[in-house]
Amino acid sequence: MHALQHFVLVGAPASGKGTQARFLAETYHLESLSTGALLRHEIDRETELGLRASSYMERAMLVPDEIVNGIVRSWIGSHLEASWLLDGYPRTVAQAETLESNLKALGTQVDVVVWLDVSRELIEARMAKRRECTQCGHTTRNGEETCPVCHAPMRKRSDDNAAAFALRWRDYETLTEPVVRFYQQQGLVVHIPVTQEGEPEDVSRRIASALKAYAESKN
Ligand code: AMP
């Protein structure tokens, strides 16, 4: 897998993207940037960036491209020697084009795009049971009331209600699926369809074997 240095992970809202991002980072020794996690962190710290982002995120909208592009550009600039994973970016074709030109200027590129393609029906069934720890941020999948890690109370993620999900799904279909097509035209997409409930580890195994086949096909 020497050739694969720069990974992008694309997935629908609540598709289990964060879990698979951690798997990819650990398995392939990648530095990772989750734009969603970074923005939530800025909101918690009440920074200027957080204040700007929260007005969009509270309404289940995407944060404007120029804000997110700036974050990612400077993160990449401070990880020039690293192998990395972008989790949740690019989410629009404009972001993908900006990323491409920023990387080109650095003499590099995206090597592979993992598309976690989970069906809407499956995600809606899952979402009803998702919880996030109010203290440490640990997430669970079975409606737990107490955090298994730090024992603090759990809450539903604020953007996990049905109306917000419908908005986020619409953005995913209209804005983010075109990003997948953008990368498919470049032959960079590893497609992982998920239509039945299973363990996250099974999905991770499928990703690993698909990546192995992909890397071999590029050699
Ligand atoms: P995530 O944790 O990836 O689901 O992201 C949570 C929220 O952060 C999204 O619903 C957006 O409001 C915002 N966000 C994260 N990444 C991006 C991005 N690449 N472009 C625009 N907004 C983003």
Side-chain angles (χ1 to χ4, degrees), residues 17 35-37 39-40 57 61-63 68 88-89 91 95 157 168:
K17 203 160 48 72
T35 43
L39 291 167
R40 282 191 290 277
M57 289 168 72
M61 291 166 68
L62 291 182
V63 173
V68 188
Y89 178 96
R91 270 233 203 1
Q95 290 178 14
R157 244 174 74 171
R168 294 170 79 212

mmCIF file of all heavy atoms in Angstrom, residues 17 35-37 39-40 57 61-63 68 88-89 91 95 157 168, ligand 1:
data_model
loop_
_atom_site.group_PDB
_atom_site.id
_atom_site.type_symbol
_atom_site.label_atom_id
_atom_site.label_comp_id
_atom_site.label_asym_id
_atom_site.label_seq_id
_atom_site.Cartn_x
_atom_site.Cartn_y
_atom_site.Cartn_z
ATOM 1 N N LYS A 17 -19.188 7.077 9.478
ATOM 2 C CA LYS A 17 -17.965 7.634 8.892
ATOM 3 C C LYS A 17 -16.870 7.827 9.951
ATOM 4 O O LYS A 17 -15.710 7.502 9.707
ATOM 5 C CB LYS A 17 -18.346 8.988 8.290
ATOM 6 C CG LYS A 17 -17.484 9.522 7.216
ATOM 7 C CD LYS A 17 -18.232 10.587 6.394
ATOM 8 C CE LYS A 17 -18.955 11.657 7.206
ATOM 9 N NZ LYS A 17 -18.085 12.624 7.867
ATOM 10 N N THR A 35 -13.465 17.502 9.562
ATOM 11 C CA THR A 35 -13.892 18.904 9.581
ATOM 12 C C THR A 35 -15.084 19.086 10.529
ATOM 13 O O THR A 35 -15.156 20.087 11.231
ATOM 14 C CB THR A 35 -14.248 19.397 8.158
ATOM 15 O OG1 THR A 35 -15.014 18.386 7.494
ATOM 16 C CG2 THR A 35 -12.998 19.691 7.362
ATOM 17 N N GLY A 36 -15.981 18.092 10.591
ATOM 18 C CA GLY A 36 -17.129 18.192 11.494
ATOM 19 C C GLY A 36 -16.686 18.248 12.953
ATOM 20 O O GLY A 36 -17.151 19.084 13.733
ATOM 21 N N ALA A 37 -15.755 17.362 13.334
ATOM 22 C CA ALA A 37 -15.266 17.339 14.721
ATOM 23 C C ALA A 37 -14.536 18.631 15.041
ATOM 24 O O ALA A 37 -14.693 19.203 16.129
ATOM 25 C CB ALA A 37 -14.358 16.132 14.939
ATOM 26 N N LEU A 39 -15.005 21.577 13.708
ATOM 27 C CA LEU A 39 -15.979 22.676 13.835
ATOM 28 C C LEU A 39 -16.740 22.576 15.161
ATOM 29 O O LEU A 39 -16.954 23.587 15.835
ATOM 30 C CB LEU A 39 -16.953 22.666 12.650
ATOM 31 C CG LEU A 39 -16.329 23.041 11.296
ATOM 32 C CD1 LEU A 39 -17.277 22.702 10.145
ATOM 33 C CD2 LEU A 39 -15.979 24.532 11.257
ATOM 34 N N ARG A 40 -17.113 21.351 15.567
ATOM 35 C CA ARG A 40 -17.809 21.196 16.854
ATOM 36 C C ARG A 40 -16.914 21.639 18.006
ATOM 37 O O ARG A 40 -17.372 22.259 18.969
ATOM 38 C CB ARG A 40 -18.268 19.739 17.054
ATOM 39 C CG ARG A 40 -19.524 19.390 16.254
ATOM 40 C CD ARG A 40 -20.114 18.041 16.664
ATOM 41 N NE ARG A 40 -19.289 16.915 16.268
ATOM 42 C CZ ARG A 40 -19.301 16.354 15.060
ATOM 43 N NH1 ARG A 40 -20.124 16.791 14.132
ATOM 44 N NH2 ARG A 40 -18.516 15.337 14.784
ATOM 45 N N MET A 57 -24.501 25.225 11.317
ATOM 46 C CA MET A 57 -24.650 23.851 11.806
ATOM 47 C C MET A 57 -25.935 23.683 12.621
ATOM 48 O O MET A 57 -26.578 22.641 12.557
ATOM 49 C CB MET A 57 -23.411 23.437 12.596
ATOM 50 C CG MET A 57 -22.223 23.244 11.652
ATOM 51 S SD MET A 57 -20.637 23.078 12.453
ATOM 52 C CE MET A 57 -20.756 21.447 13.174
ATOM 53 N N MET A 61 -27.177 22.957 8.138
ATOM 54 C CA MET A 61 -26.672 23.348 6.813
ATOM 55 C C MET A 61 -25.175 23.107 6.735
ATOM 56 O O MET A 61 -24.488 23.074 7.755
ATOM 57 C CB MET A 61 -26.924 24.844 6.582
ATOM 58 C CG MET A 61 -28.386 25.192 6.409
ATOM 59 S SD MET A 61 -28.602 26.991 6.545
ATOM 60 C CE MET A 61 -27.771 27.526 5.051
ATOM 61 N N LEU A 62 -24.691 22.989 5.523
ATOM 62 C CA LEU A 62 -23.239 22.944 5.346
ATOM 63 C C LEU A 62 -22.659 24.320 5.645
ATOM 64 O O LEU A 62 -23.279 25.351 5.363
ATOM 65 C CB LEU A 62 -22.883 22.550 3.914
ATOM 66 C CG LEU A 62 -23.188 21.109 3.510
ATOM 67 C CD1 LEU A 62 -22.738 20.869 2.075
ATOM 68 C CD2 LEU A 62 -22.498 20.114 4.442
ATOM 69 N N VAL A 63 -21.476 24.328 6.224
ATOM 70 C CA VAL A 63 -20.740 25.563 6.470
ATOM 71 C C VAL A 63 -20.201 26.037 5.106
ATOM 72 O O VAL A 63 -19.825 25.199 4.270
ATOM 73 C CB VAL A 63 -19.610 25.256 7.485
ATOM 74 C CG1 VAL A 63 -18.689 26.436 7.671
ATOM 75 C CG2 VAL A 63 -20.233 24.817 8.820
ATOM 76 N N VAL A 68 -14.537 26.340 5.265
ATOM 77 C CA VAL A 68 -13.990 24.981 5.385
ATOM 78 C C VAL A 68 -12.708 24.843 4.552
ATOM 79 O O VAL A 68 -11.731 24.232 4.993
ATOM 80 C CB VAL A 68 -15.053 23.945 4.951
ATOM 81 C CG1 VAL A 68 -14.581 22.546 5.238
ATOM 82 C CG2 VAL A 68 -16.358 24.200 5.662
ATOM 83 N N GLY A 88 -14.943 13.801 5.891
ATOM 84 C CA GLY A 88 -16.029 14.783 5.789
ATOM 85 C C GLY A 88 -15.679 15.991 4.931
ATOM 86 O O GLY A 88 -16.393 16.989 4.938
ATOM 87 N N TYR A 89 -14.603 15.913 4.216
ATOM 88 C CA TYR A 89 -14.183 16.965 3.285
ATOM 89 C C TYR A 89 -13.467 16.280 2.133
ATOM 90 O O TYR A 89 -12.643 15.404 2.398
ATOM 91 C CB TYR A 89 -13.240 17.956 3.967
ATOM 92 C CG TYR A 89 -12.714 19.047 3.047
ATOM 93 C CD1 TYR A 89 -13.330 20.291 3.003
ATOM 94 C CD2 TYR A 89 -11.612 18.822 2.217
ATOM 95 C CE1 TYR A 89 -12.848 21.289 2.151
ATOM 96 C CE2 TYR A 89 -11.140 19.818 1.366
ATOM 97 C CZ TYR A 89 -11.761 21.044 1.348
ATOM 98 O OH TYR A 89 -11.296 22.023 0.513
ATOM 99 N N ARG A 91 -17.018 18.088 0.597
ATOM 100 C CA ARG A 91 -18.439 17.772 0.628
ATOM 101 C C ARG A 91 -19.180 18.406 -0.546
ATOM 102 O O ARG A 91 -20.380 18.161 -0.720
ATOM 103 C CB ARG A 91 -19.038 18.341 1.914
ATOM 104 C CG ARG A 91 -19.006 17.362 3.096
ATOM 105 C CD ARG A 91 -20.328 17.251 3.631
ATOM 106 N NE ARG A 91 -20.798 16.865 4.915
ATOM 107 C CZ ARG A 91 -20.211 16.513 6.011
ATOM 108 N NH1 ARG A 91 -18.935 16.480 6.138
ATOM 109 N NH2 ARG A 91 -20.907 16.174 7.047
ATOM 110 N N GLN A 95 -15.491 22.384 -3.263
ATOM 111 C CA GLN A 95 -14.438 22.034 -2.290
ATOM 112 C C GLN A 95 -13.435 21.063 -2.915
ATOM 113 O O GLN A 95 -12.225 21.184 -2.713
ATOM 114 C CB GLN A 95 -15.043 21.400 -1.028
ATOM 115 C CG GLN A 95 -15.832 22.372 -0.163
ATOM 116 C CD GLN A 95 -16.453 21.709 1.054
ATOM 117 O OE1 GLN A 95 -16.115 20.575 1.419
ATOM 118 N NE2 GLN A 95 -17.373 22.401 1.707
ATOM 119 N N ARG A 157 -27.347 13.262 19.499
ATOM 120 C CA ARG A 157 -26.643 14.352 18.831
ATOM 121 C C ARG A 157 -27.682 15.348 18.353
ATOM 122 O O ARG A 157 -28.699 14.967 17.816
ATOM 123 C CB ARG A 157 -25.827 13.815 17.647
ATOM 124 C CG ARG A 157 -24.352 14.017 17.862
ATOM 125 C CD ARG A 157 -23.545 13.379 16.784
ATOM 126 N NE ARG A 157 -23.610 14.130 15.542
ATOM 127 C CZ ARG A 157 -22.840 13.855 14.495
ATOM 128 N NH1 ARG A 157 -21.969 12.869 14.561
ATOM 129 N NH2 ARG A 157 -22.935 14.542 13.398
ATOM 130 N N ARG A 168 -29.946 17.311 5.897
ATOM 131 C CA ARG A 168 -28.565 16.867 5.693
ATOM 132 C C ARG A 168 -28.511 15.829 4.564
ATOM 133 O O ARG A 168 -27.570 15.792 3.786
ATOM 134 C CB ARG A 168 -27.990 16.308 6.997
ATOM 135 C CG ARG A 168 -27.839 17.382 8.064
ATOM 136 C CD ARG A 168 -27.502 16.790 9.413
ATOM 137 N NE ARG A 168 -26.107 16.433 9.526
ATOM 138 C CZ ARG A 168 -25.657 15.411 10.244
ATOM 139 N NH1 ARG A 168 -26.477 14.630 10.891
ATOM 140 N NH2 ARG A 168 -24.379 15.161 10.295
HETATM 141 P P1 AMP B 1 -19.876 15.615 10.187
HETATM 142 O O1 AMP B 1 -19.378 15.374 11.579
HETATM 143 O O2 AMP B 1 -18.855 15.298 9.138
HETATM 144 O O3 AMP B 1 -21.210 14.983 9.916
HETATM 145 O O4 AMP B 1 -20.116 17.205 10.074
HETATM 146 C C1 AMP B 1 -21.034 17.855 10.929
HETATM 147 C C2 AMP B 1 -21.417 19.204 10.338
HETATM 148 O O5 AMP B 1 -20.246 20.032 10.168
HETATM 149 C C3 AMP B 1 -22.034 19.144 8.952
HETATM 150 O O6 AMP B 1 -23.410 18.865 8.998
HETATM 151 C C4 AMP B 1 -21.740 20.550 8.427
HETATM 152 O O7 AMP B 1 -22.621 21.513 8.977
HETATM 153 C C5 AMP B 1 -20.353 20.812 8.991
HETATM 154 N N1 AMP B 1 -19.313 20.356 8.045
HETATM 155 C C6 AMP B 1 -18.398 19.365 8.233
HETATM 156 N N2 AMP B 1 -17.598 19.203 7.160
HETATM 157 C C7 AMP B 1 -18.028 20.117 6.250
HETATM 158 C C8 AMP B 1 -17.634 20.444 4.921
HETATM 159 N N3 AMP B 1 -16.631 19.787 4.301
HETATM 160 N N4 AMP B 1 -18.303 21.443 4.297
HETATM 161 C C9 AMP B 1 -19.299 22.111 4.886
HETATM 162 N N5 AMP B 1 -19.736 21.846 6.128
HETATM 163 C C10 AMP B 1 -19.108 20.859 6.813
#
